[in-house]
């Protein structure tokens, strides 16, 4: 900055204002400083700035699975909210790996980000809890908060209820809920919702099928399992815990000669690209990812700005069902 100031013929304070508060600097002076910055190839040292100010103008976001477009929607919502405050987003993908998730939390703490948003694995959050205890604000996304943190979630049980209710309204009575493992809290809550919807309709039944994963590979295994049964032993409606699982199942069932939705109507969950790219477009329960991201970022900013009076809480949003060909009446 001293070199820039000397080249532009201004003080270091003026250079700082150009970088951080440009509205305070006259146009001609600002242009002279910017020209000196370009000529010298100056790049500000954000790490050094954070040592002086005690905080960076960045927020870290650890995402569990960037391959799922739901989490991309979350990130876009976060970024939009941070942009309004002049802050920047650092994005990390744990890729469904607890060790990577913990390493990214530690990295963000070491680099002195102002706060962290965490869309975690369904696993212990000891590293996040320890970082919070050392003063790093952390807000959970797609995961509930606790006495020490905030969270933003979607009503997963309602989502499962909406999926099953939709199939029941289409006249389906032999439903199956597929997903897994059931130890995953989101999958378990979706199954609870589906069970509740079926219990409200006399004569309806719900079979549960636990899969090893909720990926397209798991879906193909599920489709093969259903295809191996006699037609009379198959469900006429399938509630899938994810669109990826539903997509794989539809592929396998179509190859086996099972018609979708005529023989088995299907509802997925997430409303991501799998729902659109499937050979039969999939009816899906959507989570408001963009809205969740904006709300989570707002809560984090609130905690960063007024940690002393901040009240921890969990906000629960409603999912919505988007109907497509996989559950059309027939």
């Amino acid at each position: 900055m001293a070199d820039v100031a000397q080249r532009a013929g201004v003080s270091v304070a003026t250079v700082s204002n150009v970088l951080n508060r440009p509205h305070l600097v006259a146009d001609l002076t600002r242009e002279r400083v910017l020209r000196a910055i370009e000529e010298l190839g100056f790049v500000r040292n954000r790490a050094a700035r954070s040592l002086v100010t005690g905080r960076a103008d960045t927020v870290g976001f650890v995402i569990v699975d960037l391959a799922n477009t739901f989490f991309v929607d979350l990130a876009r919502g976060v970024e939009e909210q941070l942009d309004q405050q002049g802050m920047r987003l650092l994005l990390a993908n744990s890729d469904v790996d607890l060790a990577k998730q913990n390493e990214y939390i530690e990295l963000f703490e070491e680099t002195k980000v102002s706060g962290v948003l965490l869309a975690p694995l369904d696993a212990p959050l000891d590293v996040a809890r320890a970082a919070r205890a050392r003063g790093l604000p952390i807000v959970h996304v797609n995961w509930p908060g606790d006495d020490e943190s905030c969270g933003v979630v979607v009503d997963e049980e309602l989502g499962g209820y909406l999926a099953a209710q939709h199939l029941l309204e289409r006249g389906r009575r032999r439903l199956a809920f597929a997903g897994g493992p059931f130890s995953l809290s989101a999958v378990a809550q979706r199954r609870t919702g589906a069970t509740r919807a079926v219990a409200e309709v006399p004569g309806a039944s719900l079979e549960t099928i636990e899969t090893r994963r909720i990926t397209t590979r798991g879906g193909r295994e599920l489709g093969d399992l259903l295809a191996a049964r006699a037609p009379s032993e198959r469900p006429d409606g399938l509630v899938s815990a994810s669109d990826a699982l539903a997509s794989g199942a539809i592929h396998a069932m179509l190859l086996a000669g099972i018609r979708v939705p005529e023989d088995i109507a299907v509802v997925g969950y997430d409303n991501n690209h799998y729902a659109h790219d499937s050979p039969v477009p999939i009816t899906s329960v959507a989570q408001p990812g963009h809205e969740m991201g904006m709300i989570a970022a707002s809560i984090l900013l609130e905690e960063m700005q007024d940690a002393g009076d901040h009240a921890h809480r969990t906000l629960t949003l409603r999912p919505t069902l988007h109907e497509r060909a996989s559950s059309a009446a027939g």
Side-chain angles (χ1 to χ4, degrees), residues 138-219:
I138 297 179
V139 170
H140 298 156
V141 189
N142 204 39
W143 192 260
D146 51 35
D147 292 340
E148 301 172 349
S149 64
C150 290
V152 182
V153 299
V154 172
D155 190 335
E156 302 281 13
E157 183 175 333
L158 176 59
Y161 179 90
L162 292 175
Q165 182 188 53
H166 174 74
L167 291 173
L168 294 165
E169 290 175 346
R170 294 295 177 272
R172 308 299 169 133
R173 290 296 179 266
R174 302 188 315 278
L175 304 191
F177 177 90
F182 290 155
S183 58
L184 295 175
S185 60
V187 173
Q189 291 172 47
R190 294 168 193 177
R191 180 180 61 164
T192 298
T195 301
R196 180 162 58 88
V198 169
E200 295 176 356
V201 178
S205 63
L206 180 70
E207 172 190 4
T208 57
I209 303 173
E210 186 169 16
T211 60
R212 290 182 292 175
R213 54 183 71 85
I214 53 175
T215 60
T216 53
R217 179 179 176 184

Side-chain angles (χ1 to χ4, degrees), residues 20-212:
N20 300 300
R21 295 172 294 276
H23 61 283
L24 298 179
V25 184
D27 291 345
L28 291 178
T29 302
R30 185 169 64 251
E31 290 173 7
R32 195 161 69 247
V33 171
L34 291 174
R35 187 164 53 250
I37 287 173
E38 182 177 357
E39 291 170 354
L40 293 173
F42 170 81
V43 177
R44 75 165 76 189
N45 188 331
R46 290 182 179 271
R49 181 174 182 270
S50 69
L51 290 174
V52 174
T53 62
R55 55 176 287 182
D57 57 355
T58 53
V59 164
F61 190 7
V62 185
I63 288 177
V64 65
D65 182 12
L66 201 52
N68 188 333
T69 56
F70 165 64
F71 294 104
V72 176
D73 291 341
L74 284 174
R76 290 188 181 279
V78 170
E79 186 174 39
E80 181 176 327
Q81 189 65 34
L82 293 179
D83 279 349
Q84 296 176 16
Q85 303 298 321
M87 301 195 71
R88 292 293 172 257
L89 176 65
L90 299 177
L91 193 61
N93 177 32
S94 70
D95 205 21
V96 200
D97 184 326
L98 181 60
K100 286 182 67 174
Q101 174 179 294
N102 291 339
E103 288 168 2
Y104 279 127
I105 294 171
E106 292 170 346
L107 174 64
F108 285 148
E109 185 179 16
E110 290 168 4
T111 53
K112 295 186 178 298
V113 297
S114 294
V116 169
L117 293 161
L118 174 62
L121 282 78
D122 197 335
L125 298 177
D126 297 341
V127 171
R129 189 173 296 108
R132 266 202 316 268
R134 289 188 290 268
L136 179 65
I138 297 179
V139 170
H140 298 156
V141 189
N142 204 39
W143 192 260
D146 51 35
D147 292 340
E148 301 172 349
S149 64
C150 290
V152 182
V153 299
V154 172
D155 190 335
E156 302 281 13
E157 183 175 333
L158 176 59
Y161 179 90
L162 292 175
Q165 182 188 53
H166 174 74
L167 291 173
L168 294 165
E169 290 175 346
R170 294 295 177 272
R172 308 299 169 133
R173 290 296 179 266
R174 302 188 315 278
L175 304 191
F177 177 90
F182 290 155
S183 58
L184 295 175
S185 60
V187 173
Q189 291 172 47
R190 294 168 193 177
R191 180 180 61 164
T192 298
T195 301
R196 180 162 58 88
V198 169
E200 295 176 356
V201 178
S205 63
L206 180 70
E207 172 190 4
T208 57
I209 303 173
E210 186 169 16
T211 60
R212 290 182 292 175

Side-chain angles (χ1 to χ4, degrees), residues 199-284:
E200 295 176 356
V201 178
S205 63
L206 180 70
E207 172 190 4
T208 57
I209 303 173
E210 186 169 16
T211 60
R212 290 182 292 175
R213 54 183 71 85
I214 53 175
T215 60
T216 53
R217 179 179 176 184
R220 289 192 295 271
E221 294 172 353
L222 170 64
D224 290 339
L225 173 68
L226 296 176
R229 298 181 181 181
S232 61
E233 296 176 354
R234 296 170 187 157
D236 61 8
L238 174 64
V239 176
S240 171
S242 77
D243 288 335
L245 187 74
S247 178
I250 289 173
H251 274 276
M253 290 191 294
L254 291 177
L255 289 174
I258 298 174
R259 299 172 301 167
V260 177
E262 292 85 356
D263 299 327
I264 301 179
V266 179
V267 176
Y269 207 105
D270 288 330
N271 199 40
N272 60 26
H273 66 282
Y274 289 106
H276 300 278
D277 298 341
S278 172
V280 179
I282 302 170
T283 296
S284 184

